[in-house]
Amino acid sequence: MKRITLLIITALAAMLAFSAGLVAASDDGYPDYDIIYTEPVVGVVFSHTFHVEEAGMDCDSCHDGVFEMEAQAAQAQPDYNMLALSEGRYCGVCHDGDTAFDSNSRCASCHIGVIGYNRANGIEEAAHGGH
Amino acid sequence: MNKMKLKLDKLINEGVENLSVEERRGFLKMGLVVTGVFAGGSLLSVTSNVDKAFASANQFAEKYPYKPHYSMIMHIDRCIDCELCKAACAETNKVPNYGFRTQILERPIPDGIDQKREFLPVLCNHCNVAQCTRVCPTKATYKNQQNGIVMMDTSKCIGCLSCQLACPYNARYFNEEKWAVDKCNFCFDTRLSKGEKLTACSDACPAGVRVFGDLSNQRDRVYKEVHTVSRTVWVLRPEAGTKPNVFYTRG
C-alpha cells in the first residue's frame, strides 16, 4: 500500500514538473508556424523557425524594438510597406543588403502571394469555367 | 585572274551556329543581324535588324502590322502574386469568380538562393498568328484590324469551345452569364476606347510588372525594352509559332 502511495506521489510530482516545464517553454518559445501578412498585399511570409534556428537570432533581436510580440500587429500600421523597409524600418532593419539580403531584391522569397496564402490555409483555388 | 574571283552566288552558307556570341553581338550593335557565314568565316552576310523584335527567336517581325500595336512586357522578377491585377480586371470587366481573363502561375525554384519560387502572370497574348481566330467557325473571335487585339463578338459565339482548344495559352473561359467564351481584350471596351492609356491590370500592379504600350511606337517603353539587345526578352511557347504580343523579361 505504501509503495503504491509513493508511486502515485512520484507520478503527480512528475506531472507537475512536466506541466511547469510546458508553461516555461511557451513563455520564451516562439510560434512554430509561419506568420503570413495580408496587408498591404496578401501573402508575405515570416518564419520564426528560420530566423531563430537558421539565422541564429534572439527574441530581443526584434522584440519589442522592431516588432511587437503580437503576431501581425505591424500590418495595422499605415507605414508597413516596402518604402518603410527600404528606409530601414521593420524587416528593413536587417534586410538592407548588408546584414541580410536587400528587401529590394528576391521579392518572391517572402512574397508567397495569394497562391501561397491559400495553400497555407487549405483554401482550394476557384474552379475554372469551361475546362 | 578570273580564277581568283569569288562567285558569291555559288558560295555555300556554312551556317551561323559556330559564330561567336561576341561577334554576333558586335554586329547587332551596328544594327545588323548575321544571316550567313561563307568561305570559312572570312565572309559574312548581314541584314538590318532595325524594326525587328528579338523576342520571337527566329520569327522576327519584319514590321508591326497594327497602329497602335498594343503589347505588354512582363517584368516577372517583380511579381509577388498579390493578385491586385486579377481583382482590378474582374471588377473592370465583370469577370465572374469561376472565370479569369488573367492568371498568375507559380513555378517552384528548388535550387534558388532564398527565393524558392517565381510567379508568372499570363493573359491573352493577342498573337499576330492567332489560332483561336483561325478555328472559330462563326468569326465570333477575330483580330481587330487597327490595333491587333483579339476580340470577342459574344452575339456570334455558339459556345463550341474550339478557340479554347486552339489557344496555346489557356486564355479563354466560358462565361455562363454571357453564354459565350470570354477573354482579355486589353480592356478595349472598358478603358482604352474611353481614352485610358493603360489596362486595368497594368494600372493596378503595385510592383511595375505589367508594362503596357504600343509596339509600333519607337518612343514607347515596350518598344524600347523589346528592342534592347542587352535585355533578355522571351515569349511563352514560341514553338507554337503564333507570334505573341506579350513579352517577358527580368530586371
Side-chain angles (χ1 to χ4, degrees):
Chain A
M1 191 61 195
K2 246 188 181 176
R3 191 176 278 180
I4 290 169
T5 321
L6 198 72
L7 262 175
I8 291 169
I9 291 167
T10 322
L12 276 172
M15 278 172 71
L16 265 173
F18 185 61
S19 58
L22 274 182
V23 171
S26 66
D27 265 355
D28 42 66
Y30 47 85
D32 58 359
Y33 53 87
D34 287 344
I35 290 169
I36 303 175
Y37 291 94
T38 53
E39 295 286 343
V41 293
V42 173
V44 185
V45 72
F46 175 82
S47 163
H48 275 98
T49 310
F50 177 84
H51 283 84
V52 174
E53 293 176 12
E54 303 281 324
M57 292 166 72
D58 300 319
C59 306
D60 59 8
S61 301
C62 303
H63 302 299
D64 288 304
V66 184
F67 284 98
E68 287 178 36
M69 283 284 190
E70 187 193 343
Q72 292 176 313
Q75 71 178 19
Q77 300 299 319
D79 72 333
Y80 188 58
N81 55 36
M82 294 307 293
L83 179 65
L85 267 54
S86 72
E87 290 168 351
R89 281 175 276 152
Y90 303 109
C91 316
V93 169
C94 294
H95 284 279
D96 55 0
D98 196 17
T99 311
F101 72 85
D102 197 330
S103 59
N104 199 24
S105 67
R106 304 182 198 173
C107 314
S109 301
C110 312
H111 285 275
I112 59 171
V114 175
I115 295 170
Y117 178 84
N118 287 348
R119 189 189 296 130
N121 290 284
I123 301 167
E124 298 240 339
E125 208 187 335
H128 293 148
H131 64 259
Chain B
M1 280 302 282
N2 266 353
K3 278 180 187 170
M4 294 293 286
K5 251 185 191 170
L6 280 167
K7 290 178 178 164
L8 286 171
D9 52 344
K10 287 189 178 166
L11 284 175
I12 295 161
N13 191 343
E14 291 154 20
V16 296
E17 294 80 17
N18 296 322
L19 203 63
S20 74
V21 174
E22 290 74 21
E23 195 156 6
R24 279 199 223 194
R25 187 159 292 171
F27 279 100
L28 280 171
K29 282 176 180 167
M30 290 187 277
L32 299 165
V33 176
V34 179
T35 55
V37 175
F38 302 91
S42 56
L43 279 174
L44 302 176
S45 71
V46 294
T47 183
S48 167
N49 73 358
V50 174
D51 277 344
K52 289 178 184 174
F54 297 114
S56 303
N58 299 320
Q59 299 171 333
F60 296 131
E62 289 300 330
K63 63 184 172 70
Y64 297 114
Y66 305 102
K67 189 72 189 173
H69 192 113
Y70 288 125
S71 177
M72 195 177 279
I73 182 163
M74 302 282 195
H75 296 246
I76 61 164
D77 56 320
R78 302 181 66 91
C79 183
I80 54 172
D81 183 41
C82 65
E83 302 196 4
L84 294 178
C85 52
K86 280 182 75 173
C89 170
E91 191 188 335
T92 305
N93 300 302
K94 297 186 171 55
V95 180
N97 59 9
Y98 61 81
F100 60 90
R101 283 186 176 202
T102 182
Q103 289 181 282
I104 310 295
L105 308 179
E106 184 190 37
R107 172 165 60 190
I109 313 171
D111 300 332
I113 299 167
D114 290 324
Q115 185 168 327
K116 303 289 185 193
R117 65 191 71 81
E118 186 172 63
F119 295 113
L120 188 73
V122 293
L123 74 170
C124 172
N125 281 245
H126 299 281
C127 310
N128 285 0
V129 188
Q131 296 303 295
C132 51
T133 61
R134 186 176 67 82
V135 300
C136 179
T138 61
K139 294 187 166 57
T141 192
Y142 59 97
K143 287 282 282 182
N144 180 297
Q145 291 306 305
Q146 278 77 51
N147 55 38
I149 292 175
V150 175
M151 301 281 199
M152 273 300 301
D153 181 346
T154 50
S155 66
K156 286 186 186 170
C157 179
I158 56 171
C160 70
L161 308 186
S162 300
C163 56
Q164 261 190 2
L165 287 171
C167 175
Y169 303 103
N170 187 28
R172 295 167 166 268
Y173 75 97
F174 189 77
N175 186 306
E176 288 169 19
E177 288 73 30
K178 294 177 178 173
W179 207 249
V181 166
D182 189 45
K183 65 177 288 299
C184 163
N185 61 357
F186 275 156
C187 291
F188 187 74
D189 57 330
T190 49
R191 290 175 64 101
L192 298 186
S193 63
K194 293 174 181 172
E196 296 273 1
K197 296 292 180 217
L198 296 177
T199 62
C201 58
S202 175
D203 195 33
C205 180
V209 177
R210 295 167 178 255
V211 177
F212 179 74
D214 174 9
L215 204 49
S216 70
N217 177 2
Q218 298 194 9
R219 279 181 290 185
D220 194 282
R221 189 176 157 194
V222 172
Y223 177 93
K224 284 179 182 169
E225 290 189 343
V226 169
H227 289 258
T228 303
V229 175
S230 54
R231 177 181 282 281
T232 303
V233 177
W234 66 94
V235 295
L236 301 182
R237 296 195 167 163
E239 72 281 3
T242 55
K243 295 191 179 178
N245 286 303
V246 175
F247 300 91
Y248 291 81
T249 189
R250 290 193 184 89

